[in-house]
Coordinates of all heavy atoms in Angstrom, one line a residue:
R37 N 2.6 0.0 -12.5 CA 1.4 0.8 -12.1 C 0.5 0.0 -11.2 O -0.2 -0.9 -11.7 CB 0.7 1.3 -13.4 CG 1.5 2.3 -14.1 CD 1.0 2.7 -15.4 NE 1.1 1.6 -16.4 CZ 1.0 1.8 -17.7 NH1 0.9 3.0 -18.2 NH2 1.0 0.8 -18.5
G38 N 0.5 0.4 -10.0 CA -0.4 -0.3 -9.0 C -1.8 0.3 -9.2 O -2.3 0.9 -8.2
K39 N -2.4 0.2 -10.4 CA -3.7 0.8 -10.6 C -4.6 -0.2 -11.2 O -4.2 -1.2 -11.9 CB -3.6 2.1 -11.4 CG -3.0 2.0 -12.7 CD -2.9 3.4 -13.3 CE -2.7 3.4 -14.8 NZ -2.6 4.8 -15.3
N99 N -13.1 13.7 0.1 CA -13.0 13.6 -1.4 C -12.2 12.4 -1.9 O -12.2 11.4 -1.3 CB -12.6 15.0 -1.9 CG -13.7 16.0 -1.7 OD1 -14.8 15.7 -1.8 ND2 -13.3 17.3 -1.4
N100 N -11.6 12.6 -3.0 CA -11.2 11.4 -3.8 C -9.9 10.7 -3.4 O -9.6 9.7 -4.0 CB -11.2 11.7 -5.3 CG -9.9 12.5 -5.6 OD1 -9.5 13.3 -4.8 ND2 -9.3 12.2 -6.8
S101 N -9.1 11.2 -2.5 CA -7.8 10.6 -2.3 C -7.4 10.4 -0.8 O -7.3 11.4 -0.1 CB -6.7 11.4 -3.0 OG -5.4 11.0 -2.5
S102 N -7.2 9.2 -0.4 CA -6.8 9.0 1.0 C -5.4 9.5 1.2 O -5.0 9.9 2.3 CB -7.0 7.5 1.5 OG -6.1 6.7 0.7
L103 N -4.6 9.4 0.2 CA -3.2 9.9 0.3 C -3.2 11.4 0.6 O -2.4 11.9 1.4 CB -2.5 9.6 -1.0 CG -1.0 9.9 -1.0 CD1 -0.2 8.9 -0.1 CD2 -0.4 9.9 -2.4
A104 N -4.2 12.1 0.0 CA -4.3 13.5 0.3 C -4.6 13.7 1.7 O -4.1 14.7 2.4 CB -5.3 14.1 -0.7
L105 N -5.5 12.9 2.3 CA -5.9 13.0 3.7 C -4.7 12.7 4.6 O -4.5 13.4 5.6 CB -7.0 12.0 4.0 CG -8.4 12.3 3.9 CD1 -9.3 11.2 4.4 CD2 -8.7 13.6 4.7
M106 N -3.9 11.7 4.2 CA -2.7 11.4 5.0 C -1.8 12.6 5.0 O -1.2 13.1 6.0 CB -2.0 10.2 4.5 CG -2.8 8.9 4.7 SD -2.0 7.5 4.0 CE -3.3 6.8 2.9
G139 N 8.2 -0.6 2.0 CA 6.9 0.1 2.2 C 6.5 0.9 1.0 O 7.0 0.7 -0.1
Y140 N 5.5 1.8 1.2 CA 4.9 2.5 0.1 C 5.6 3.8 -0.2 O 5.7 4.7 0.7 CB 3.4 2.8 0.5 CG 2.6 3.5 -0.4 CD1 2.7 3.4 -1.8 CD2 1.6 4.4 0.0 CE1 1.9 4.1 -2.7 CE2 0.7 5.1 -0.8 CZ 0.9 4.9 -2.2 OH 0.1 5.6 -3.0
D141 N 6.1 4.0 -1.4 CA 7.0 5.1 -1.7 C 6.3 6.5 -1.4 O 7.0 7.4 -1.0 CB 7.5 5.1 -3.1 CG 6.4 4.9 -4.2 OD1 5.3 4.6 -3.8 OD2 6.7 5.1 -5.4
R142 N 5.0 6.5 -1.6 CA 4.3 7.8 -1.4 C 4.2 8.3 0.0 O 4.2 9.4 0.4 CB 3.0 7.9 -2.1 CG 3.2 8.0 -3.6 CD 1.9 7.9 -4.4 NE 2.0 8.0 -5.8 CZ 2.0 9.1 -6.5 NH1 1.9 10.3 -5.8 NH2 2.2 9.1 -7.8
H143 N 4.2 7.3 1.0 CA 4.3 7.6 2.4 C 5.6 8.3 2.6 O 5.7 9.3 3.3 CB 4.2 6.4 3.2 CG 2.9 5.8 3.3 ND1 2.7 4.5 3.7 CD2 1.6 6.2 3.1 CE1 1.4 4.2 3.7 NE2 0.7 5.2 3.3
C184 N 1.8 2.5 8.7 CA 1.4 1.1 8.7 C 0.4 0.8 7.6 O -0.5 1.6 7.4 CB 0.7 0.8 10.0 SG 1.7 1.1 11.5
V185 N 0.7 -0.2 6.8 CA -0.3 -0.7 5.9 C -0.6 -2.1 6.4 O 0.1 -3.1 6.0 CB 0.2 -0.7 4.4 CG1 -0.9 -1.2 3.5 CG2 0.7 0.7 4.0
P186 N -1.6 -2.2 7.3 CA -1.7 -3.4 8.1 C -2.2 -4.7 7.4 O -2.0 -5.8 7.8 CB -2.7 -3.0 9.2 CG -3.5 -2.0 8.5 CD -2.6 -1.2 7.6
K187 N -2.8 -4.5 6.2 CA -3.4 -5.6 5.5 C -3.0 -5.6 4.1 O -3.2 -4.6 3.4 CB -5.0 -5.5 5.6 CG -5.7 -6.7 5.3 CD -7.2 -6.4 5.7 CE -8.1 -7.5 5.4 NZ -9.5 -7.2 5.9
Y188 N -2.5 -6.8 3.6 CA -2.1 -6.9 2.2 C -1.2 -5.7 1.9 O -1.4 -5.0 0.9 CB -3.3 -7.0 1.3 CG -4.3 -8.0 1.6 CD1 -5.7 -7.7 1.5 CD2 -4.0 -9.3 2.1 CE1 -6.7 -8.7 1.8 CE2 -4.9 -10.3 2.4 CZ -6.3 -9.9 2.3 OH -7.2 -10.9 2.5
S189 N -0.2 -5.6 2.7 CA 0.7 -4.4 2.6 C 1.3 -4.2 1.2 O 1.6 -5.1 0.5 CB 1.9 -4.7 3.6 OG 2.6 -3.6 3.8
N190 N 1.5 -2.9 1.0 CA 2.2 -2.5 -0.2 C 3.7 -2.4 0.1 O 4.0 -1.5 1.0 CB 1.6 -1.1 -0.7 CG 2.4 -0.5 -1.8 OD1 3.4 -1.0 -2.3 ND2 1.8 0.6 -2.3
P191 N 4.6 -3.1 -0.4 CA 4.5 -4.0 -1.5 C 4.5 -5.5 -1.2 O 4.5 -6.3 -2.2 CB 5.7 -3.6 -2.4 CG 6.8 -3.4 -1.3 CD 6.1 -2.9 -0.1
D219 N -2.9 3.0 7.4 CA -3.4 3.1 6.0 C -4.0 1.7 5.6 O -3.2 0.9 5.0 CB -2.2 3.5 5.1 CG -2.7 3.7 3.7 OD1 -3.9 3.5 3.4 OD2 -1.8 4.0 2.8
N220 N -5.3 1.5 5.8 CA -5.9 0.2 5.5 C -6.4 0.3 4.1 O -7.6 0.0 3.8 CB -7.0 -0.1 6.5 CG -7.2 -1.6 6.6 OD1 -6.5 -2.4 6.0 ND2 -8.2 -1.9 7.5
A221 N -5.5 0.6 3.1 CA -6.0 0.8 1.7 C -6.5 -0.4 1.1 O -7.3 -0.4 0.2 CB -4.7 1.3 0.9
Y222 N -6.1 -1.6 1.6 CA -6.5 -2.9 1.0 C -7.4 -3.7 1.9 O -7.4 -5.0 1.8 CB -5.3 -3.6 0.5 CG -4.5 -2.8 -0.4 CD1 -3.3 -2.2 -0.1 CD2 -4.9 -2.6 -1.7 CE1 -2.6 -1.4 -1.0 CE2 -4.2 -1.8 -2.6 CZ -3.1 -1.2 -2.2 OH -2.4 -0.4 -3.1
F253 N -7.1 5.2 7.8 CA -7.4 5.7 6.5 C -7.9 4.6 5.6 O -7.5 3.4 5.8 CB -6.2 6.3 5.8 CG -5.6 7.5 6.6 CD1 -4.6 7.3 7.5 CD2 -6.1 8.8 6.4 CE1 -4.1 8.4 8.2 CE2 -5.5 9.8 7.1 CZ -4.5 9.6 8.0
G254 N -8.7 4.9 4.7 CA -9.2 3.9 3.7 C -9.7 4.7 2.5 O -9.8 5.9 2.5
S255 N -10.0 4.0 1.4 CA -10.6 4.7 0.3 C -11.3 3.7 -0.7 O -11.0 2.5 -0.6 CB -9.6 5.5 -0.5 OG -8.9 4.7 -1.4
T256 N -12.1 4.2 -1.6 CA -12.7 3.3 -2.6 C -11.9 3.4 -3.9 O -12.4 3.0 -4.9 CB -14.2 3.7 -2.8 OG1 -14.2 4.9 -3.5 CG2 -15.0 3.7 -1.5
S257 N -10.7 4.0 -3.9 CA -10.0 4.1 -5.1 C -9.9 2.8 -5.9 O -9.9 2.8 -7.1 CB -8.6 4.7 -4.9 OG -8.6 6.0 -4.4
K258 N -9.6 1.7 -5.2 CA -9.5 0.4 -5.9 C -10.7 -0.4 -5.6 O -10.6 -1.7 -5.6 CB -8.2 -0.2 -5.4 CG -7.0 0.5 -6.1 CD -5.7 0.3 -5.4 CE -4.6 1.1 -6.1 NZ -3.4 1.2 -5.2
L261 N -13.8 3.8 -8.7 CA -13.0 4.5 -9.7 C -11.8 5.1 -9.0 O -11.9 6.0 -8.1 CB -13.8 5.6 -10.4 CG -15.1 5.1 -11.0 CD1 -15.9 6.2 -11.6 CD2 -14.9 4.0 -12.1
A262 N -10.6 4.8 -9.5 CA -9.4 5.2 -8.8 C -9.2 6.7 -8.7 O -8.8 7.3 -7.7 CB -8.1 4.6 -9.4
G263 N -9.7 7.4 -9.7 CA -9.6 8.9 -9.7 C -10.8 9.6 -9.1 O -10.8 10.8 -8.9
G265 N -13.0 8.2 -6.5 CA -13.5 7.4 -5.3 C -13.8 8.3 -4.1 O -13.9 9.6 -4.3
L266 N -13.9 7.7 -3.0 CA -14.1 8.4 -1.7 C -12.9 8.1 -0.8 O -12.5 7.0 -0.6 CB -15.4 8.0 -1.1 CG -16.7 8.2 -1.9 CD1 -17.9 7.7 -1.1 CD2 -16.9 9.7 -2.2
A267 N -12.4 9.1 -0.1 CA -11.4 8.9 0.9 C -12.0 8.9 2.3 O -13.0 9.6 2.5 CB -10.4 10.1 0.8
L268 N -11.5 8.0 3.1 CA -12.1 7.8 4.4 C -11.1 8.0 5.5 O -9.9 7.6 5.4 CB -12.7 6.3 4.4 CG -13.5 5.9 3.2 CD1 -13.7 4.4 3.2 CD2 -14.9 6.6 3.3
Y349 N -2.3 -5.4 -4.1 CA -2.0 -5.0 -5.5 C -0.6 -5.4 -5.9 O -0.2 -5.2 -7.0 CB -2.2 -3.5 -5.7 CG -3.6 -3.3 -6.3 CD1 -4.7 -3.8 -5.8 CD2 -3.7 -2.5 -7.5 CE1 -6.0 -3.6 -6.4 CE2 -4.9 -2.3 -8.1 CZ -6.0 -2.8 -7.6 OH -7.2 -2.6 -8.2
F350 N 0.2 -6.0 -5.0 CA 1.7 -6.1 -5.3 C 2.2 -7.5 -4.9 O 1.8 -8.1 -4.0 CB 2.5 -5.0 -4.6 CG 2.0 -3.7 -5.0 CD1 1.1 -3.0 -4.1 CD2 2.3 -3.0 -6.2 CE1 0.7 -1.7 -4.4 CE2 1.8 -1.8 -6.5 CZ 1.0 -1.1 -5.6
R393 N 9.5 -4.2 -6.7 CA 8.0 -4.3 -6.5 C 7.4 -4.6 -7.9 O 7.7 -4.0 -8.9 CB 7.5 -2.9 -6.1 CG 6.0 -2.9 -5.8 CD 5.5 -1.6 -5.3 NE 5.1 -0.8 -6.5 CZ 4.4 0.3 -6.4 NH1 4.0 0.7 -5.2 NH2 4.0 1.0 -7.5
Ligands
PLP501 N1 -2.2 3.7 0.4 C1 -1.6 2.7 -0.2 C2 -1.0 1.7 0.7 C3 -1.6 2.5 -1.6 O1 -1.0 1.5 -2.1 C4 -2.2 3.5 -2.4 C5 -2.2 3.4 -3.8 O2 -1.5 2.6 -4.4 C6 -2.9 4.6 -1.8 C7 -2.9 4.7 -0.4 C8 -3.6 5.6 -2.5 O3 -4.9 5.7 -2.1 P1 -5.8 6.9 -2.7 O4 -6.1 6.6 -4.1 O5 -7.0 6.8 -1.8 O6 -5.1 8.2 -2.5

Side-chain angles (χ1 to χ4, degrees):
R37 292 172 293 199
K39 59 184 195 180
N99 288 326
N100 76 324
S101 162
S102 63
L103 188 69
L105 269 185
M106 291 177 234
Y140 178 35
D141 54 347
R142 286 175 179 271
H143 288 162
C184 300
V185 184
K187 194 168 178 180
Y188 307 139
S189 187
N190 175 351
D219 180 2
N220 205 3
Y222 300 106
F253 300 92
S255 85
T256 69
S257 291
K258 287 161 183 166
L261 303 179
L266 300 175
L268 311 165
Y349 261 54
F350 305 99
R393 186 181 89 162

